[in-house]
C-alpha cells in the first residue's frame, strides 16, 4: 500500500522544484519576496494536509488486514510505480503547467505547493512504513481493487488489505526499494 502512496512523491516533488525555480524568474504581480513567502506557506500546508488526510481509513484497513492468500494478485514495486506514473502522467503534466503558469501572478508559489504535495505523500508513506514495522507485516492492496490508473489505495473499491512478511517482495516497509545485502 505504501508503494502506491509513495509512487507520486518523487515526480511531484521534482516537478514542483523545477516549476518553483523557473517560476522565481518573473517578477509577477505580487513580487518575488511575497511569492516565495506564500509558496513556503503553501508548501507547509500542502505537505501537512496530504500527510494527515485519510489516516483513519488507512489505520482501519491495516487493522483488518488478512494474510495474503494463494490467489491474491500482488505486484512488484517497480510495476506498481510504473503503472501509477503512467496512469497519472497527464495530471502531473497539467499540475506542472499550472504551477509554472501561476508564477506570472505569484512567483514560485505554485511550484512550491506542488513540491509540498509530493513531500506530504513521502511523509504519509513513511508513516505507513512505521505502521508496517510495528505490525511486522507488509500491507498490500490487491491490484484489481486499485482504480484504472493504479491509484486510490484507500478508495471505496478497496475492501481490505493483504499482509505478508516483511521479507516478501521487493519493497521495504514504507514503499522504498529493498536494499539487498552485498554478497562477499
Amino acid at each position: 500500500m505504501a508503494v502506491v502512496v509513495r509512487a507520486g512523491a518523487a515526480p511531484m516533488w521534482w516537478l514542483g522544484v523545477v516549476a518553483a525555480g523557473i517560476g522565481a524568474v518573473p517578477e509577477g504581480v505580487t513580487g518575488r519576496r511575497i511569492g516565495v513567502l506564500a509558496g513556503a506557506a503553501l508548501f507547509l500546508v500542502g505537505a501537512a494536509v496530504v500527510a494527515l488526510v485519510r489516516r483513519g481509513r488507512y489505520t482501519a484497513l491495516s487493522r483488518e488486514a488478512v494474510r495474503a492468500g494463494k490467489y491474491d494478485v500482488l505486484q512488484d514495486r517497480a510495476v506498481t510505480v510504473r503503472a501509477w506514473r503512467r496512469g497519472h502522467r497527464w495530471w502531473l503534466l497539467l499540475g506542472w503547467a499550472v504551477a509554472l503558469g501561476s508564477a506570472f501572478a505569484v512567483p514560485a508559489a505554485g511550484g512550491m505547493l506542488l513540491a509540498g504535495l509530493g513531500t506530504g505523500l513521502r511523509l504519509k508513506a513513511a508513516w505507513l512504513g512505521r505502521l508496517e514495522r510495528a505490525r511486522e507485516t507488509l500491507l498490500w492492496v490487491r491490484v484489481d481493487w486499485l482504480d484504472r490508473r493504479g491509484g486510490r489505495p484507500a478508495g471505496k473499491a478497496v475492501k481490505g488489505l493483504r499482509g505478508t512478511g516483511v521479507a516478501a517482495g521487493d519493497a521495504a516497509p514504507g514503499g522504498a526499494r529493498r536494499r539487498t545485502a552485498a554478497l562477499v
Side-chain angles (χ1 to χ4, degrees), residues 151-175:
R152 293 199 169 267
K156 289 181 189 176
V158 177
K159 296 163 186 62
L161 297 178
R162 302 299 189 248
T164 61
V166 291
D170 62 343

Side-chain angles (χ1 to χ4, degrees), residues 4 54 84 88 141 145-147 149-156 158:
V4 180
R54 297 188 63 116
W84 190 96
H88 292 85
V141 178
W145 287 349
L146 294 174
D147 70 356
R149 291 189 315 262
R152 293 199 169 267
K156 289 181 189 176
V158 177

Side-chain angles (χ1 to χ4, degrees), residues 36-76:
V36 170
L37 289 174
L42 287 172
F43 178 91
L44 294 173
V45 169
V49 167
V50 169
L52 298 174
V53 72
R54 297 188 63 116
R55 275 197 178 191
R57 172 83 170 140
Y58 284 101
T59 305
L61 284 171
S62 70
R63 255 188 265 118
E64 298 169 1
V66 296
R67 195 82 174 144
K70 183 177 182 178
Y71 297 105
D72 285 333
V73 179
L74 308 172
Q75 65 188 11
D76 286 342

Side-chain angles (χ1 to χ4, degrees), residues 54-132:
R54 297 188 63 116
R55 275 197 178 191
R57 172 83 170 140
Y58 284 101
T59 305
L61 284 171
S62 70
R63 255 188 265 118
E64 298 169 1
V66 296
R67 195 82 174 144
K70 183 177 182 178
Y71 297 105
D72 285 333
V73 179
L74 308 172
Q75 65 188 11
D76 286 342
R77 179 191 182 282
V79 176
T80 303
V81 169
R82 188 171 44 249
W84 190 96
R85 290 180 182 171
R86 279 186 185 159
H88 292 85
R89 67 179 170 254
W90 294 111
W91 288 108
L92 290 169
L93 184 62
L94 179 66
W96 183 75
V98 168
L100 197 58
S102 71
F104 293 105
V106 186
M112 292 175 83
L113 173 63
L114 190 59
L117 298 177
T119 302
L121 286 174
R122 181 75 183 245
L123 292 172
K124 183 179 281 188
W127 173 74
L128 286 168
R130 287 190 299 275
L131 194 66
E132 288 175 335

